[in-house]
């Protein structure tokens, strides 16, 4: 059987017929028009689709600049640089909390009317305030960045003084009071914010008066701006006086004051925002001694004469709301336990001890340390007489033999700095664990108990 081949034979004929089919009537006209029109060359080039004169005279433009994108990039870079500067700045200005443990910095002191700092590790001393004025009692602010000190006034005819604030290196001095304090300003200390100072000073006039005169109506407690000379704020008047370390941690919204009421004394907590007073203790005139806040502000330690032992002065602890008062030191015989200082973590209280061994013979004993955890008391450090440059000194207000000291914990709580109460003594550093001690020969002047040691960020 063979395949059908008819279509193969007929295909050439069909194609020829299609090719030779009839032409349209307008064929001759199309051909004539094509012959008369000249073909434009190079149609495949894009430029030939536009008039050449227009193309040659038109300016050539670069691609559009993405200004918005560039602007955003610049903004991001600026923000990143600002963030870096902020981080670097924060590292440079990082400060410790106003209370609690911190790193140890320099120690400030005065000598020959000038203010110094000393590195307790290297012993390198640096004069930060010098000049003809008599400057004394320097105190570091809680953030460690500034020092306040007392300056004997050169503008007052009668004895008076000013309070001066400088940076830790002695720069940018500011006298915070517009007028000298007549007869002296009494005690002063930094408020927790390190921007103001709490000052005991005689007051003249009504509450809120910023005037100080030679005739005073009584003691008062004032708040001074540490950055500029402004009118101070009266915190307490009517004969009230503040204790050192009077501002309540951590915000300073309350202070400890001692107010005489007739023949008695009252130890009070004064809320400086509301004026509310909370009674902590009452005693006869001279019965209540000093008082100190715990680092967390929850308790107060104070010295007072026990009702059953009026010849002695012992330590008591009371809650900040006035409850739970109890005596924490006692020993056979007649003792004065005073000048107490809380450790930075609030676990211990260091204090000075004086024992009466005769009718008018008080002997200074080693520093005592009270443990808040178990109530025990132990002695550390030397007898003050061991580090005297001369002894005995009958002029000592507390003892006929030996010398009193003021104590200040190091910010990290690892050492106790004990200052002599007289210029002839030598301050010592005491290890509160084993009681060993070393003399700091650079420090040779008396110091009230306050913030002598610079606090640094941990």
């Amino acid at each position: 059987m063979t395949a059908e081949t008819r279509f193969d034979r007929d295909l050439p004929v069909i194609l020829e017929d299609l090719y030779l089919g009839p032409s349209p009537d307008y064929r001759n006209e199309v051909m004539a028009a094509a012959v008369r029109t000249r073909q434009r060359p190079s149609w495949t080039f894009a430029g030939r689709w536009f008039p050449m004169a227009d193309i040659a005279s038109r300016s050539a433009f670069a691609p559009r600049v993405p200004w918005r994108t560039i602007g955003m990039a610049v903004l991001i870079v600026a923000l990143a640089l600002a963030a870096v500067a902020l981080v670097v700045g924060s590292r440079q200005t990082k400060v410790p909390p106003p209370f609690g443990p911190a790193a140890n910095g320099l120690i400030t002191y005065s000598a020959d009317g000038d203010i110094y700092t000393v590195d307790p590790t290297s012993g390198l001393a640096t004069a930060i305030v010098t000049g003809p004025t008599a400057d004394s009692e320097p105190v570091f602010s809680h953030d460690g960045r500034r020092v306040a000190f007392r300056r004997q006034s050169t503008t007052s005819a009668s004895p008076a003084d000013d309070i001066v604030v400088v940076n830790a290196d002695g720069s940018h001095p500011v006298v915070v009071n517009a007028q000298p304090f007549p007869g002296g300003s009494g005690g002063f200390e930094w408020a927790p914010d390190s921007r103001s100072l709490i000052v005991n000073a005689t007051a003249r006039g009504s509450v809120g008066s910023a005037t100080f005169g030679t005739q005073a109506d009584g003691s008062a407690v004032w708040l001074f701006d540490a950055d500029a000379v402004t009118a101070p704020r009266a915190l307490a008047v009517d004969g009230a006086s503040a204790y050192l370390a009077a501002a309540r941690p951590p915000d300073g919204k309350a202070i400890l004051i001692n107010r005489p009421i007739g023949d008695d004394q009252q130890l009070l907590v004064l809320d400086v925002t509301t004026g509310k007073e909370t009674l902590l203790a009452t005693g006869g005139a001279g019965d209540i001694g000093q008082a100190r806040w715990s680092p967390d502000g929850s308790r107060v330690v104070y010295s007072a004469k026990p009702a059953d032992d009026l010849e002695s002065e012992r330590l008591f602890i009371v809650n900040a709301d006035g409850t739970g008062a109890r005596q924490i030191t006692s020993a056979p015989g007649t003792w004065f336990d005073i000048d107490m200082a809380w450790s930075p973590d609030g676990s211990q209280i260091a204090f000075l001890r004086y024992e009466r061994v005769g009718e008018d013979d008080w002997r200074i004993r080693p520093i005592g340390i009270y443990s808040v955890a178990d109530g025990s008391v132990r002695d550390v450090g030397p007898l003050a007489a061991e580090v005297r440059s001369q002894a005995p000194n009958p002029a000592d207000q507390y003892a006929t033999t030996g010398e009193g000291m003021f104590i200040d914990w190091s910010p990290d709580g690892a050492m106790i700095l004990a200052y002599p109460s007289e210029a002839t003594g030598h301050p010592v550093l005491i290890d509160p664990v084993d009681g060993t001690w070393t003399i700091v020969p650079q420090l040779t002047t008396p110091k009230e108990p306050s913030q002598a040691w610079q606090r640094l960020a941990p």
Side-chain angles (χ1 to χ4, degrees):
M1 183 173 183
T2 60
E4 178 65 46
T5 59
R6 183 179 300 173
F7 179 76
D8 295 338
R9 292 195 304 266
D10 295 340
L11 179 59
V13 177
I14 294 172
L15 292 176
E16 184 178 357
D17 291 342
L18 291 174
Y19 171 75
L20 297 177
S23 300
D25 296 338
Y26 55 82
R27 175 182 178 185
N28 293 333
E29 289 80 358
V30 171
M31 294 297 297
V35 171
R36 289 195 303 270
T37 303
R38 182 179 178 182
Q39 183 179 357
R40 296 183 68 180
S42 305
W43 286 99
T44 57
F45 292 95
R48 299 304 182 182
W49 293 91
F50 304 98
M52 297 303 294
D54 292 343
I55 295 176
S57 62
R58 187 172 301 170
S59 301
F61 293 97
R64 181 179 180 183
V65 178
W67 294 110
R68 178 173 297 180
T69 302
I70 294 175
M72 289 298 294
V74 172
L75 179 60
I76 291 172
V77 171
L79 291 174
L81 292 176
V84 171
L86 181 62
V87 170
V88 173
S90 64
R91 289 177 179 174
Q92 293 175 342
T93 60
K94 185 178 180 181
V95 297
F99 300 97
N104 297 339
L106 304 174
I107 298 174
T108 182
Y109 68 100
S110 61
D112 299 324
D114 296 330
I115 305 299
Y116 291 78
T117 58
V118 60
D119 185 332
T121 302
S122 66
L124 177 63
T126 303
I128 63 171
V129 178
T130 61
T133 56
D135 301 328
S136 62
E137 299 181 36
V139 181
F140 266 112
S141 60
H142 292 279
D143 61 11
R145 296 192 294 181
R146 292 192 287 182
V147 175
F149 58 90
R150 188 190 306 274
R151 170 170 290 172
Q152 185 175 337
S153 175
T154 58
T155 61
S156 176
S158 58
D161 58 41
D162 299 314
I163 295 178
V164 184
V165 172
V166 296
N167 290 338
D169 61 0
S171 62
H172 298 94
V174 176
V175 179
V176 304
N177 50 294
Q179 302 178 40
F181 296 102
S185 62
F188 64 91
E189 64 160 274
W190 284 94
D193 62 5
S194 294
R195 296 193 299 269
S196 51
L197 291 160
I198 297 173
V199 181
N200 275 4
T202 54
R204 180 185 179 190
S206 60
V207 174
S209 171
T211 302
F212 300 93
T214 56
Q215 295 181 352
D217 297 329
S219 297
V221 183
W222 302 84
L223 187 69
F224 280 81
D225 189 334
D227 296 316
V229 178
T230 59
R233 175 188 173 191
L235 301 180
V237 290
D238 299 330
S241 61
Y243 292 99
L244 293 179
R248 180 177 181 175
D251 55 18
K253 292 183 178 179
I255 61 173
L256 292 172
I257 62 173
N258 186 336
R259 175 174 284 127
I261 305 294
D263 294 332
D264 296 330
Q265 284 181 304
Q266 290 183 335
L267 175 61
L268 303 164
V269 175
L270 171 64
D271 188 319
V272 297
T273 59
T274 65
K276 177 183 176 182
E277 294 182 350
T278 301
L279 179 64
L280 298 183
T282 302
D287 285 356
I288 298 178
Q290 304 144 328
R292 304 283 186 269
W293 287 107
S294 63
D296 62 0
S298 65
R299 288 171 292 185
V300 174
V301 61
Y302 64 95
S303 60
K305 297 181 182 299
D308 59 352
D309 185 11
L310 296 179
E311 298 298 318
S312 296
E313 190 164 331
R314 309 289 189 171
L315 299 188
F316 294 76
I317 280 184
V318 62
N319 295 328
D321 61 3
T323 63
R326 68 186 191 279
Q327 183 176 331
I328 62 172
T329 62
S330 61
T334 302
W335 291 74
F336 262 45
D337 300 329
I338 58 175
D339 293 335
M340 49 281 186
W342 289 85
S343 63
D345 62 2
S347 66
Q348 302 177 90
I349 301 172
F351 60 97
L352 297 184
R353 312 189 77 188
Y354 299 83
E355 182 185 10
R356 189 168 70 184
V357 296
E359 184 63 25
D360 295 316
D361 188 3
W362 289 85
R363 299 297 176 93
I364 299 173
R365 300 308 187 195
I367 291 172
I369 295 185
Y370 170 80
S371 171
V372 176
D374 58 21
S376 62
V377 176
R378 55 190 176 87
D379 295 338
V380 299
L383 289 171
E386 294 182 63
V387 292
R388 286 181 59 91
S389 60
Q390 64 179 35
N393 186 350
D396 191 307
Q397 58 178 322
Y398 293 117
T400 57
T401 300
E403 178 184 89
M405 285 191 166
F406 301 120
I407 51 181
D408 184 22
W409 287 84
S410 63
D412 65 0
M415 301 294 289
I416 294 175
L417 175 64
Y419 277 91
S421 61
E422 300 172 18
T424 55
H426 293 286
V428 295
L429 287 175
I430 303 171
D431 187 323
V433 176
D434 59 19
T436 58
W437 55 277
T438 56
I439 291 178
V440 185
Q442 292 84 356
L443 309 183
T444 57
T445 56
K447 181 75 176 66
E448 293 293 332
S450 58
Q451 186 64 48
W453 213 315
Q454 181 185 33
R455 295 169 56 85
L456 299 178

